[in-house]
């Protein structure tokens, strides 16, 4: 019979109560406070921008802004009606090009042949293009269209914006059509639909909220863009009369007026910023409304 | 005569029918069109490279490799070099990425690791998204009239007190590297925060539970388990954020001072490739346009490499998560 010579003392039961003075608890608290400070610091710029837009841009807000042309050097008053129209026209041209193309591309990537080599290359290049510097879209369209047409134009500006919108629309449309459940597509095929009929009658209507979200986000981004317009649409002090002439835009107006030594122009730059941010926000909010899942 | 019992054409009250010849034709046309849309993207990238490359060719032949290693921009003497701009681009982007990386990853942790009530988290998430929605020119305008006046006293105090450190070697007279970097980091922050959030959310919940089960504190779990697990995605976020910073144009053109100047000082004016293009292109004569096309080609090459690397990292890490 084995004799127990000595008992091992039971290991001390760890103190499981949370102690504030514990080094680990203190670190935990410091880091939590730190991350709160980071979050608040990161929010400051947004509120500062919004405050400046409302206080400085709002001070100048009147109907004249929308109906008058930009003033010259020392002139008082004026507005930027032509720039608002120009921005909207160019965004419209860009949408007409990139939305149909982008949705078709998204359908190709998401439904028709998601696993083909062509789809893999297209997807990869579209992802790379989302990080494409916007100014290079301007350089590209300058080299292609501006030199060929021998003039800066709204068309060139619209094409440059379309280059930037296309990858966003393709990738979001792909995600949206992928979300459509396979059983819905199978049901359509079972009824004797061709792939095209399935896409038009089942996939696109079902994926529409997601597709529209992407479209609205792309439009919001394009409306705020300025670098691609600098030397494709240039600027104009007059109302737009044709698509083949230099065209004003809000963002270029802000850029031009921001460096001017005249108080009137600087005020107009702030007011134009307010209008531009409002336009961008409207499309951002629209993207949220249309993208909300319907029950 | 045998009748095909499955041929339901013409029968009343049937919802289904085999496609007609016309249906087959439209189906084929539509599928070719969709494939064509995919091909357009590929052709677009090739054509972009071709056009910018073709326009840059004369300058590449004329100035050769020395264009990248000299820092002169003299239109009247037709001598061009973009070393200053390459330096400014990389320096401003790295500094902005350092700030945006810390803030963006911290913000991603803050938003995904249950620090907040779900409703408050949504408020902060909207704030980050709105930071991304504000146009670049508006940030530029804000930088000129808010950031520069706000940091000038601090900058000049730093220069007076610590001027022997190269980073504070000059005083801030107006536009310069520091305000440009601050605004740039704000603009990159949403990219880094959004992609890092996705990476953190991909970490399975059981991994975190396992860490808690071992008795870690919340932050020990985050720092020792979550971040290493999500490190691939976060690294991809940083690379893509770097790509954004490299190509950012308008705010920098308005804030960095557009001066061909290689300096470590945070308060000296400098220039970047993108803002060189933005400020010189609209009024350039033929000989300068050629040089600018070469500069555009250099910017294209840098951003292309960075973006391809970032996209590839993202694809690899998301594949790992699935396996």
């Amino acid at each position: 019979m084995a004799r127990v010579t000595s008992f091992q003392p039971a290991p001390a039961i760890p103190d499981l109560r949370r102690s504030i003075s514990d080094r680990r608890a203190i670190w935990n608290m410091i880091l939590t406070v730190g991350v709160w400070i980071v979050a608040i610091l990161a929010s400051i710029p947004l509120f500062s921008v919004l405050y400046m837009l409302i206080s400085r841009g709002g001070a100048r807000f009147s109907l004249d802004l929308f109906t008058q042309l930009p003033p010259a050097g020392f002139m008082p008053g004026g507005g930027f009606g032509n720039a608002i129209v120009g921005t909207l026209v160019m965004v419209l041209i860009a949408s007409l090009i990139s939305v149909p193309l982008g949705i078709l591309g998204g359908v190709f990537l998401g439904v028709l042949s998601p696993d083909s080599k062509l789809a893999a290359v297209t997807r990869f290049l579209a992802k790379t293009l989302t990080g494409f510097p916007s100014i290079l879209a301007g350089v590209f369209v300058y080299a292609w269209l501006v030199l060929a047409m021998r003039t800066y134009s709204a068309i060139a500006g619209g094409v440059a914006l379309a280059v930037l919108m296309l990858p966003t629309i393709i990738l979001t449309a792909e995600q949206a059509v992928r979300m459509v459940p396979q059983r819905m597509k199978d049901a359509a095929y079972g009824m004797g639909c061709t792939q095209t009929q399935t896409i038009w009658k089942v996939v696109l209507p079902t994926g529409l909220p997601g597709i529209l979200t992407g479209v609205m986000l792309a439009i919001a981004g394009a409306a705020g863009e300025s670098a691609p317009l600098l030397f494709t649409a240039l600027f104009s002090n007059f109302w737009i009369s044709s698509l083949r002439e230099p065209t004003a835009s809000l963002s270029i107006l802000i850029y031009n007026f921001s460096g001017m030594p005249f108080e009137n122009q600087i005020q107009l730059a702030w007011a134009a910023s307010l209008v531009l941010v409002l336009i961008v926000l409207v499309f951002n909010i629209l993207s949220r409304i249309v993208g909300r899942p319907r029950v | 005569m045998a009748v095909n019992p499955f041929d339901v054409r013409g029968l009343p009250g049937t919802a289904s029918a085999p496609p007609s010849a016309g249906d087959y034709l439209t189906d084929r046309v539509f599928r070719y069109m969709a494939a064509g849309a995919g091909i357009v993207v590929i052709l677009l990238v090739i054509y972009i490279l071709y056009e910018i490359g073709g326009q840059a060719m004369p300058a590449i032949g004329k100035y050769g490799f020395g264009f990248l290693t000299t820092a002169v921009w003299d239109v009247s003497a037709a001598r061009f070099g973009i070393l200053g701009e390459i330096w400014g681009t990389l320096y401003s982007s790295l500094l902005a990425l350092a700030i945006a990386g810390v803030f963006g990853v911290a913000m991603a942790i803050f938003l995904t690791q249950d620090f907040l009530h779900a409703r408050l988290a949504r408020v902060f998430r909207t704030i980050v998204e709105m930071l991304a929605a504000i146009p670049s020119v508006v940030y530029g305008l804000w930088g000129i009239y808010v950031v520069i006046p706000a940091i000038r006293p601090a900058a000049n105090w730093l220069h007076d007190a610590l001027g022997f450190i190269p980073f504070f070697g000059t005083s801030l007279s107006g536009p310069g590297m520091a305000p440009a970097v601050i605004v740039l980091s704000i603009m990159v922050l949403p990219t880094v925060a959004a992609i890092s959030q996705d990476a953190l959310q991909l970490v399975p919940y059981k991994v975190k539970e396992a860490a808690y089960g071992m008795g870690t504190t919340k932050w020990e779990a985050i720092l020792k388990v979550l971040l290493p697990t999500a490190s691939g995605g976060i690294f991809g976020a940083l690379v893509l954020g770097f790509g954004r910073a490299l190509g950012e144009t308008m705010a920098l053109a308005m804030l960095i001072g557009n001066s061909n100047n290689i300096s470590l000082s945070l308060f000296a004016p400098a220039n970047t490739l993108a803002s060189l293009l933005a400020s010189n292109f609209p009024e350039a004569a033929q000989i300068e346009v050629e040089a600018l096309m070469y500069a555009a080609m250099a910017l294209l090459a840098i951003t292309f490499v960075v973006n391809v690397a970032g996209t590839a990292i993202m694809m690899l890490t998301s594949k790992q998560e699935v396996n």
Side-chain angles (χ1 to χ4, degrees):
Chain A
M1 198 173 150
R3 271 179 53 204
V4 176
T5 50
S6 66
F7 285 101
Q8 292 289 324
I13 297 165
D15 183 9
L16 288 176
R17 277 170 306 175
R18 185 157 175 258
S19 156
I20 291 296
S21 58
D22 182 11
R23 203 163 49 86
R24 293 165 64 204
I26 290 175
W27 265 115
N28 202 43
M29 226 145 52
I30 291 174
L31 286 170
T32 303
V33 172
V35 84
W36 267 98
I37 293 173
V38 162
I40 290 164
L41 276 180
S43 313
I44 289 175
L46 179 71
F47 291 108
S48 173
V49 169
L50 292 181
Y51 170 77
M52 290 299 285
L53 287 176
I54 292 166
S55 69
R56 297 207 53 179
R60 185 59 197 273
F61 218 71
S62 71
L63 202 61
D64 283 356
L65 295 181
F66 301 93
T67 58
Q68 305 217 341
L69 292 174
F74 285 105
M75 302 284 284
F80 40 73
N82 62 335
I84 297 177
V85 175
T87 293
L88 295 179
V89 166
M90 285 189 280
V91 169
L92 182 70
I93 295 174
S95 308
L96 288 178
I97 300 170
S98 60
V99 171
L101 210 54
I103 295 178
L104 266 182
V107 166
F108 175 69
L109 294 185
V111 184
L112 287 176
S113 59
D115 301 319
S116 66
K117 217 162 237 168
L118 176 63
V121 176
T122 304
R123 198 174 293 128
F124 187 81
L125 288 179
K127 279 185 184 166
T128 315
L129 269 183
T130 54
F132 183 61
S134 58
I135 185 123
L136 289 182
V139 174
F140 162 63
V141 173
Y142 174 87
W144 172 31
L145 281 181
V146 176
L147 291 182
M149 294 170 69
R150 296 174 183 278
T151 173
Y152 301 100
S153 65
I155 296 177
V159 171
L161 294 181
V163 170
L164 295 171
M165 287 171 69
L166 183 63
T168 314
I169 298 180
I170 287 191
L171 293 174
T172 47
E174 184 197 352
Q175 289 303 321
V177 295
R178 266 174 191 267
M179 294 296 201
V180 177
Q182 183 62 38
R183 59 193 154 81
M184 290 177 75
K185 286 183 273 180
D186 288 344
Y189 293 138
M191 308 264 294
C193 282
T194 61
Q195 271 196 315
T196 305
Q197 287 168 330
T198 310
I199 288 165
W200 279 101
K201 296 188 175 153
V202 176
V203 174
L204 285 180
T206 316
L208 196 63
I211 295 173
L212 284 180
T213 303
V215 170
M216 293 299 160
L217 281 180
I219 290 178
E225 277 293 353
S226 33
L229 301 178
L230 265 176
F231 34 86
T232 54
L234 210 67
F235 191 73
S236 152
N237 281 318
F238 308 102
W239 293 97
I240 182 170
S241 62
S242 115
L243 295 181
R244 304 172 66 91
E245 61 176 24
T247 306
S249 56
L250 278 172
S251 47
I252 302 297
L253 177 120
I254 298 167
Y255 178 61
N256 288 344
F257 279 9
S258 69
M260 283 196 178
F262 310 114
E263 187 51 37
N264 186 28
Q265 266 75 356
I266 291 168
Q267 281 177 4
L268 281 176
W270 279 108
S273 300
L274 179 60
V275 174
L276 185 59
V277 168
L278 286 178
I279 294 177
V280 171
L281 281 188
V282 163
F283 281 106
N284 256 306
I285 293 168
L286 276 180
S287 81
R288 276 157 200 260
I289 294 174
V290 297
R292 201 172 290 159
R294 280 162 222 173
V295 184
Chain B
M1 232 174 98
V3 176
N4 177 3
F6 296 104
D7 190 354
V8 290
R9 264 176 288 192
L11 289 182
T14 46
S16 58
S20 65
D23 289 340
Y24 277 120
L25 188 68
T26 38
D27 182 49
R28 178 149 298 186
V29 170
F30 180 77
R31 277 192 291 176
Y32 278 124
M33 277 170 64
I39 293 173
V40 164
V41 175
I42 299 173
L43 290 181
L44 179 68
V45 172
I46 295 172
Y47 194 46
I48 288 173
L49 294 174
Y50 169 78
E51 272 292 351
I52 297 181
Q55 296 284 327
M57 260 313 156
I60 293 176
K62 218 182 289 176
Y63 309 113
F65 190 68
F67 188 75
L68 306 175
T69 54
T70 52
V72 276
W73 197 268
D74 187 343
V75 180
S76 54
R79 286 176 52 227
F80 302 104
I82 52 167
L83 186 64
E85 283 74 23
I86 293 178
W87 163 256
T89 305
L90 295 178
Y91 192 46
S92 63
S93 299
L94 280 176
L95 289 173
L97 186 68
I99 302 174
V102 172
F103 275 70
V105 174
M107 202 73 189
I109 292 172
F110 186 64
L111 291 177
T112 54
Q113 300 309 316
D114 309 325
F115 283 94
L116 296 170
H117 187 271
R119 197 167 288 172
L120 196 55
R122 204 179 313 144
V123 171
F124 274 101
R125 208 164 283 148
T126 311
I127 288 175
V128 176
E129 281 167 17
M130 277 181 72
L131 277 178
I134 292 186
S136 180
V137 265
V138 176
Y139 274 122
L141 191 67
W142 177 72
I144 294 175
Y145 292 102
V146 177
V147 175
I148 292 178
I151 66 171
R152 195 185 286 158
N156 288 340
W157 179 83
L158 277 173
H159 170 61
D160 289 339
L162 301 165
F164 56 90
I165 302 174
F167 294 119
F168 309 128
T170 54
S171 64
L172 183 72
S173 55
M177 186 60 86
V181 165
I182 290 174
V183 171
L184 191 55
S185 60
I186 295 168
M187 300 178 71
V188 178
L189 171 79
T191 306
V192 177
I195 306 177
S196 308
Q197 271 187 66
D198 292 345
L200 286 173
Q201 268 159 355
L202 276 178
V203 179
Y205 196 75
K206 57 186 174 190
V207 172
K208 199 161 71 171
E209 277 180 337
Y212 285 152
M214 303 274 290
T216 63
T217 62
K218 186 170 195 161
W219 274 98
E220 282 166 350
I222 291 170
L223 295 178
K224 292 182 182 157
V225 178
L226 275 168
L227 284 185
T229 315
S231 61
I234 291 174
F235 185 62
L238 293 178
V239 175
L240 288 179
F242 187 58
R244 288 291 139 86
L246 290 172
E248 186 43 58
T249 311
M250 298 311 280
L252 288 185
M254 293 160 87
L255 290 171
I256 205 161
N258 299 316
S259 133
N260 196 356
N261 178 15
I262 301 179
S263 157
L264 267 180
S265 170
L266 297 174
F267 307 138
N271 208 351
T272 70
L273 286 169
S275 69
L276 172 82
L277 289 169
S279 46
N280 289 33
F281 212 111
E283 286 137 29
Q286 179 55 32
I287 186 154
E288 195 181 359
V289 167
E290 282 175 7
L292 287 169
M293 285 292 179
Y294 194 172
M297 193 69 209
L299 176 62
L300 182 63
I302 296 174
T303 50
F304 195 74
V305 169
V306 171
N307 278 319
V308 165
T311 312
I313 292 170
M314 295 302 297
M315 282 185 168
L316 284 179
T317 52
S318 65
K319 235 175 240 164
Q320 275 172 4
E321 305 292 349
V322 174
N323 290 348

